[in-house]
């Protein structure tokens, strides 16, 4: 849609994109929500270690930003 607004043609297989999105994002969220609501050991585990999950989440975000930054300079940027 954005490419259409910019006047650029692109060949994107939407079925593949939505399949990968569902597999990598929607399915893990769905499974996690089901486990948190209906599996008592998971509920106890999450309550016990909730403060640690926040720290791990923050460090994962830092790692993602760092790897994207490194890949940008490894592959070379097209900007000048």
């Amino acid at each position: 849609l954005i490419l259409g607004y910019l006047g650029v043609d692109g060949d994107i297989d939407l079925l593949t994109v939505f399949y990968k999105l569902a597999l990598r994002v929607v399915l893990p969220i769905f499974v996690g929500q089901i486990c948190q609501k209906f599996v008592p050991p998971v509920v106890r585990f999450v309550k016990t270690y909730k403060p640690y999950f926040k720290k791990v989440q923050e460090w994962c975000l830092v790692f993602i930003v760092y790897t994207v930054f490194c890949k940008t300079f490894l592959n070379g940027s097209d900007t000048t």
Side-chain angles (χ1 to χ4, degrees):
L1 187 61
I2 294 173
L3 293 176
Y5 286 132
L6 295 174
V8 178
D9 291 329
D11 187 27
I12 300 171
D13 184 14
L14 287 179
L15 183 63
T16 303
V17 170
F18 284 115
Y19 173 75
K20 287 181 180 180
L21 178 67
L23 196 63
R24 293 178 183 171
V25 177
V26 178
L27 183 64
I29 290 173
F30 178 74
V31 170
Q33 291 299 314
I34 295 298
C35 286
Q36 282 187 7
K37 300 294 180 190
F38 300 111
V39 182
V42 172
V43 174
R44 285 192 304 271
F45 181 80
V46 170
K47 283 182 181 179
T48 304
Y49 295 103
K50 192 170 186 172
Y52 300 109
F53 285 130
K54 184 164 178 60
K55 278 293 182 192
V56 169
Q57 179 182 3
E58 291 172 358
W59 282 107
C60 286
L61 183 59
V62 168
F63 178 73
I64 290 169
V65 170
Y66 176 74
T67 56
V68 169
F69 182 79
C70 290
K71 283 184 180 182
T72 300
F73 286 103
L74 180 66
N75 295 336
S77 179
D78 291 337
T79 61
T80 57

